[in-house]
Amino acid sequence: MSSAGERPSRESVLDAFAVEREPGRSTLERYLRLYPEYAAELVDLWRELSREVFDDAAPLSAADQALIDAAWSRHAATMPAATSDPFAALTVDDWRAVAQRLDVPRQVVTALRERRVALFSIPRRFLQRLAEAIGSTVTQLESSWGLGQLSAARSYKADGKPAVGEQVTFEQVLIDAGVPAETRDRLLAEAE
């Protein structure tokens, strides 16, 4: 285990005990006398090595399976439902059609898709028109806004890790996109 006169390490003692031909009680007592400083670890290892392995290959009874199924159903009922992204299935052509239908530049729908627009700043009527254009509901749109995910459809190389920017108002997105003042006023005045 170690050179003469030097106490063996804990790992050396435990390794030696683990490979003993007869790791019974008498072997444990001998190791405890020789290495009392490792008593707790030796006892734990002895218990682990002398433990019976339970290998039950028998199938579960119908009652046991019913109990497991009932517990799983209760657990599943408490889990929140996964919120799907209503924008995820749309193709580039779909986004072009949505932009045309809403009478806004594509960069506006891109900002909406990436949730860079603060939800509270979007007029309710515009949100309803957006939901209709993408085949969704206003409720689904509102619940998906918290996801804050970048669309998986967009991919590009960048030097740094992509990060979600600060949200801006719908009006600011329209201004940045160069939407004329008359169109902007019409879109913003659509609040019910």
Side-chain angles (χ1 to χ4, degrees), residues 29-79:
E29 289 172 352
R30 181 170 44 92
Y31 271 80
L32 289 174
R33 276 191 311 275
L34 292 171
Y35 310 106
E37 64 271 23
Y38 305 130
E41 292 92 342
L42 284 165
V43 170
D44 287 343
L45 180 58
W46 178 73
R47 285 182 179 154
E48 186 67 29
L49 292 173
S50 60
R51 182 179 82 155
E52 269 189 54
V53 177
F54 182 70
D55 186 21
D56 186 14
L60 292 173
S61 69
D64 289 341
Q65 188 63 48
L67 285 172
I68 292 170
D69 291 343
W72 183 253
S73 296
R74 284 192 307 273
H75 171 70
T78 63
M79 299 302 291

Side-chain angles (χ1 to χ4, degrees), residues 35-169:
Y35 310 106
E37 64 271 23
Y38 305 130
E41 292 92 342
L42 284 165
V43 170
D44 287 343
L45 180 58
W46 178 73
R47 285 182 179 154
E48 186 67 29
L49 292 173
S50 60
R51 182 179 82 155
E52 269 189 54
V53 177
F54 182 70
D55 186 21
D56 186 14
L60 292 173
S61 69
D64 289 341
Q65 188 63 48
L67 285 172
I68 292 170
D69 291 343
W72 183 253
S73 296
R74 284 192 307 273
H75 171 70
T78 63
M79 299 302 291
T83 305
S84 63
D85 183 1
F87 298 139
L90 299 176
T91 65
V92 173
D93 291 334
D94 294 336
W95 283 112
R96 282 189 195 112
V98 168
Q100 289 174 350
R101 186 170 174 186
L102 298 175
D103 192 28
V104 294
R106 283 185 44 208
Q107 79 184 64
V108 173
V109 293
T110 298
L112 292 167
R113 180 184 70 207
E114 294 176 351
R115 278 70 159 202
R116 289 183 297 174
V117 180
L119 182 62
F120 70 86
S121 70
I122 304 171
R124 186 76 176 173
R125 178 70 185 125
F126 184 86
L127 205 55
Q128 289 171 338
R129 287 181 54 220
L130 174 63
E132 290 170 12
I134 65 170
S136 182
T137 65
V138 172
T139 305
Q140 286 175 323
L141 277 177
E142 289 173 338
S143 65
S144 75
W145 222 265
L147 295 176
Q149 301 169 339
L150 293 175
S151 175
R154 290 187 56 154
S155 65
Y156 52 89
K157 290 188 176 185
D159 293 335
K161 189 175 183 179
V164 177
E166 187 176 320
Q167 288 186 329
V168 296
T169 64

